[in-house]
Amino acid sequence: MSLICDLQLRKYYHVPNDMADVLDYLKSHSVEECYDAYGYGNKGVIKSYVDFVLKNDMGFMDTRIMDELVPLPLQWDAYADITNVIVELSPEMANDSCFIEELVNLNLEAIEIRCYEAISSEKLTQFLNHFSKSIVGTIRIFLKWNNWCTEKLFKNLIENNLRINSIVVHSSPQEKTIKLLKNSVSILYKKEVIASCLQCGVIDPGYFRTNIDLFTESQKHNTCLNRKLSINKDGYIKNCPSMPESFGHISQTRLADVLANPEFKKNWLLNKDRIAVCKDCEFRHVCTDCRAYVEQPQDRYSKPLKCGYDPYANVWEDWATSPLKQEAIAYYGLEK
């Protein structure tokens, strides 16, 4: 199968390869020329492809091919050495680290705070205060349920930290969703227990994103690890919390030293076109990636372990039950 990505309306369409071939031909030929090339016996099918494009506002008909309709530039760059950060905030983690202050001074786009253990509201507030005067775009928080996780307290927390765009409360006694600040911030209470980073790395259509930033970044970069920095629950600096390599501790390491280490950036350019199976998958430019859990643990170019899609058969299966993945599942300690 193939994929049409509408980067303006942020939608994608799963289509047959034949349709992709026809649309590619129509880049430089008229519809009549397309009928001639593919045979008038296929006129009805070709017309249905064209009608699909018109119906979904992805194109229009004209009497000529317009020279000004040039291909979209696919270059990608960012204005910061690090754009996104994951922090596994634990009760023991120091709030006064110089490394955290160095992160604040970067042009971060997003921060994800993960709390596997219950922490106090004061601890969370103190950590968020680091970013009160920064230009961080969005903050997403995963909290373990505690008695203080009430709508009233969250409302106050969000009003004082307007960068927060969502909060997930795991290990909750009940499941519910509430919306705050005129429905702009979601608070999701889940019974599911998020106990560690072992639960990360799942590839699922629900996580697919269709936008120009991800699409262009994916052309040459890894869409999960590129320009990412993480601090695990013990204060060690990593590219991803789930990966074994550490590049120092926040109490002893300078950000400049981490960024100067080529090993820290080794996966940034590992795009989907270089990864087994992913390079043939039609979803590769709307999908994130995972290099922490892969089917062949010794092969950094191996397919993500937690992906159940087979692009050759066009079917999704439960990755966790696949007999071919059990050895890797045991290697990472993911049996549960």
Side-chain angles (χ1 to χ4, degrees), residues 29-44:
H29 298 85
S30 69
V31 176
E32 285 296 326
E33 289 173 323
C34 192
Y35 295 156
D36 287 336
Y38 286 89
Y40 274 81
N42 293 313
K43 180 177 179 179

Side-chain angles (χ1 to χ4, degrees), residues 41 112 132 135 184 223 262 282 291:
E112 183 170 286
S132 61
I135 65 166
S184 64
T223 49
E282 64 272 27
R291 295 295 88 206

